[in-house]
Amino acid sequence: MLKKLPVFTLGVEEEYQIIDPVSRDLRSHLSKIVDGAKIILNEQVKAEMHQSVVEVGTNICNNVNDAKNEIRFLRSKIVELADKQDLIVGGAGTHPFSKWQDQPITDDPRYHDIVNELQDAARSNLIFGMHCHVGIENREIGLQLMNQATYFLPHIFALSTNSPFWEGRQTGYKSFRTKVFDKFPRTGLPEYFDSVSSYDNYLETLVKTNCIDNPKKIWWDLRLHPFYNTIEFRICDMSLTVDETICIVAIIQAIVAKLYKLNMNNTSFNVYRLALIKENKFRAARYGIENNMIDFGLQKEVETKMLILELLDFIDDVVDELGSRDDINYVHEILKHGTGADKQLAVFQETGSLSSVVDFITGEFTKGL
C-alpha cells in the first residue's frame, strides 16, 4: 500500500516595487508603508536594502490554496497602505528605467554592513524576487532533494522571467535581474553536498573565517535553509500577478513532493553537473520560455516549452494529493501568452514608452485581489 505524502508546508516571500504614480519612478516610502503594515501584519512585512522596496512573507501554509489567500491578502494590504501615501505598487524583477544611483539605502546596520563590504555591487542590487520555502523535517533528506531539484531550477526560472529592462534599456534578456545579482558572492546554482554534516561544516568554515557573519549570507538559487526546516527556492523573478506566483509555487512544491516520493521508493533523480545546468540557466535568463534548453538525458536541444510540459508529466502523480492541479494548470496560460517579460516587451513594442510598461506592471499587480 502506498504511503500518503507528508504535508509539504509552504512559505512565500515577495518583493514589491513602490512607485510614484506621476513620474512612474521608484520612490522611497520612508518606512511609512512598513511601519503601517507591521501594525496589521507584524513580522510578515519588512524593509529591504533600498527604501523603494517592501518585502512580505506568508505565514507557514499547509497547502497552495492557503498560500494563495495569504499572497492576495498581503498584496491588498500593501496596495492599501501605499495608496494612503499617494504611491502605487508593482511586481517585476527590475524597474524598467529607475537608476539605482537615485535610490536611497535603508538606514539599518545590516544594510550598512552589506554596502560597506560589497560597495557598488550592493548599491546597484535594485532587484525584486520571489522566494519559496518548502518544509522538509528531515534535513538529510532535504539536502538530497536540494541536490536533485537543482536540475529543475532553469525550468522554474524560465516561467518566472520578468525583468527585460534595466535603467531605461532593453537588455536583450528576459531576466536581467539574475545578471545584476551575479555580482554578489555566494550566488548562483548551489554546490553539491553529500551530507548535512558536510554542508554544515562549509557554513561553519565561512563563519569562522569571517567570510560571512551568519549562514543566511549564502544567497544561492536554492539552499537548505540554515535556521528553518525548509529548502528555499530563490531563483525566481518577482511575478506580475498572484496567479503567476502561485502557479510557480505549486510547481515547486510538486517537484519536491515527487523527488521525495522517488527517494522513499529507493530511487532518485539524476544529479547533473552544475556546469551543464548553468547552460540551461543562461538560456532561461536570455530567452525565458522561448527558444531551446538542453535535455541532458537525451543530450540534445529541446524546445523549452516542451521541457516544461514534460516537467508537468513528471510531477503529475503527486499533484492531486497536494490539491494544486488547478493552480499548476495555469502554466498553460503562461506558455500561451508569455511570461511577465514577454508581456512587458509587448507593451513597449506597442507604445514605445517605458512609462506605459510601468503602468502595465502596476495594473497587473492588483489582478485577482
Side-chain angles (χ1 to χ4, degrees):
M1 184 177 175
L2 291 175
K3 290 183 180 179
K4 282 189 68 175
L5 292 170
V7 175
F8 293 98
T9 57
L10 294 166
V12 183
E13 298 163 2
E14 292 192 314
E15 295 169 340
Y16 301 155
Q17 301 184 13
I18 306 303
I19 295 170
D20 186 299
V22 177
S23 69
R24 273 78 159 200
D25 206 343
L26 289 174
R27 176 113 152 255
S28 167
H29 55 85
L30 298 173
S31 297
K32 291 179 181 177
I33 293 175
V34 171
D35 292 344
K38 279 186 180 294
I39 298 170
I40 311 163
L41 305 172
N42 299 313
E43 298 307 311
Q44 285 186 262
V45 62
K46 63 181 182 180
E48 263 293 343
M49 185 161 64
H50 291 90
Q51 291 182 19
S52 52
V53 186
V54 169
E55 179 183 319
V56 303
T58 67
N59 292 304
I60 298 172
C61 300
N62 285 325
N63 52 55
V64 170
N65 193 57
D66 288 351
K68 183 195 297 184
N69 290 336
E70 289 229 10
I71 289 294
R72 282 176 174 158
F73 176 73
L74 290 167
R75 286 195 180 207
S76 296
K77 285 300 174 188
I78 299 303
V79 167
E80 182 183 307
L81 290 162
D83 184 62
K84 290 178 180 177
Q85 305 297 327
D86 296 319
L87 298 167
I88 52 179
V89 189
T94 55
H95 186 278
F97 61 80
S98 274
K99 296 192 182 303
W100 60 263
Q101 296 93 333
D102 300 332
Q103 297 301 316
I105 302 293
T106 299
D107 187 12
D108 183 283
R110 176 190 172 203
Y111 299 126
H112 293 321
D113 288 345
I114 292 174
V115 170
N116 184 55
E117 180 185 7
L118 301 180
Q119 297 294 306
D120 271 8
R123 296 184 191 99
S124 63
N125 196 52
L126 189 61
I127 57 174
F128 307 80
M130 184 276 286
H131 301 165
C132 177
H133 293 256
V134 183
I136 300 290
E137 287 300 319
N138 184 307
R139 292 183 79 234
E140 203 69 62
I141 293 174
L143 185 73
Q144 293 175 35
L145 300 185
M146 184 184 90
N147 287 333
Q148 295 166 33
T150 299
Y151 172 80
F152 297 103
L153 289 175
H155 305 64
I156 297 163
F157 177 37
L159 287 167
S160 82
T161 50
N162 191 27
S163 51
F165 300 103
W166 178 249
E167 297 199 333
R169 291 181 52 80
Q170 185 173 328
T171 64
Y173 282 79
K174 295 297 177 67
S175 173
F176 199 68
R177 167 185 155 271
T178 49
K179 299 297 145 188
V180 176
F181 197 37
D182 281 348
K183 297 192 294 291
F184 267 48
R186 301 175 297 279
T187 57
L189 297 169
E191 294 289 331
Y192 174 87
F193 292 91
D194 57 10
S195 67
V196 167
S197 62
S198 174
Y199 179 75
D200 288 341
N201 284 340
Y202 165 74
L203 297 180
E204 287 169 14
T205 299
L206 291 188
V207 172
K208 283 179 180 176
T209 56
N210 294 318
C211 296
I212 56 178
D213 57 11
N214 77 81
K216 285 184 71 174
K217 287 187 177 176
I218 305 296
W219 292 303
W220 290 332
D221 297 331
L222 173 60
R223 68 182 179 184
L224 185 67
H225 200 279
F227 305 134
Y228 309 133
N229 287 332
T230 68
I231 51 177
E232 182 186 9
F233 291 73
R234 303 169 49 85
I235 197 169
C236 294
D237 280 4
M238 177 62 206
S239 296
L240 290 170
T241 66
V242 174
D243 285 341
E244 289 168 343
T245 289
I246 294 302
C247 174
I248 293 166
V249 165
I251 290 171
I252 287 171
Q253 184 195 40
I255 288 170
V256 173
K258 177 58 183 269
L259 293 175
Y260 177 89
K261 185 176 181 180
L262 291 176
N263 276 258
M264 292 303 100
N265 290 326
N266 294 317
T267 184
S268 64
F269 194 80
N270 282 348
V271 175
Y272 291 93
R273 289 184 179 276
L274 290 188
L276 293 175
I277 300 172
K278 283 177 182 176
E279 297 296 330
N280 274 347
K281 183 184 174 183
F282 165 75
R283 290 170 182 234
R286 174 70 176 83
Y287 302 108
I289 58 174
E290 303 302 326
N291 212 288
N292 302 322
M293 289 202 297
I294 303 165
D295 184 319
F296 296 119
L298 297 177
Q299 294 195 335
K300 70 175 188 179
E301 288 184 303
V302 178
E303 285 185 30
T304 299
K305 290 180 181 179
M306 289 301 299
L307 285 177
I308 290 169
L309 292 174
E310 288 179 11
L311 170 57
L312 296 187
D313 290 339
F314 174 70
I315 62 178
D316 189 71
D317 63 329
V318 300
V319 167
D320 288 326
E321 192 170 341
L322 295 170
S324 56
R325 185 168 295 278
D326 287 346
D327 296 298
I328 284 176
N329 279 342
Y330 189 81
V331 76
H332 297 291
E333 294 296 311
I334 299 174
L335 295 178
K336 181 178 178 182
H337 299 292
T339 68
D342 297 314
K343 293 174 181 177
Q344 286 192 55
L345 290 165
V347 171
F348 184 66
Q349 187 171 9
E350 182 181 342
T351 65
S353 165
L354 289 176
S355 290
S356 296
V357 176
V358 176
D359 291 342
F360 172 74
I361 289 168
T362 56
E364 291 291 288
F365 186 82
T366 56
K367 275 190 174 179
L369 298 187

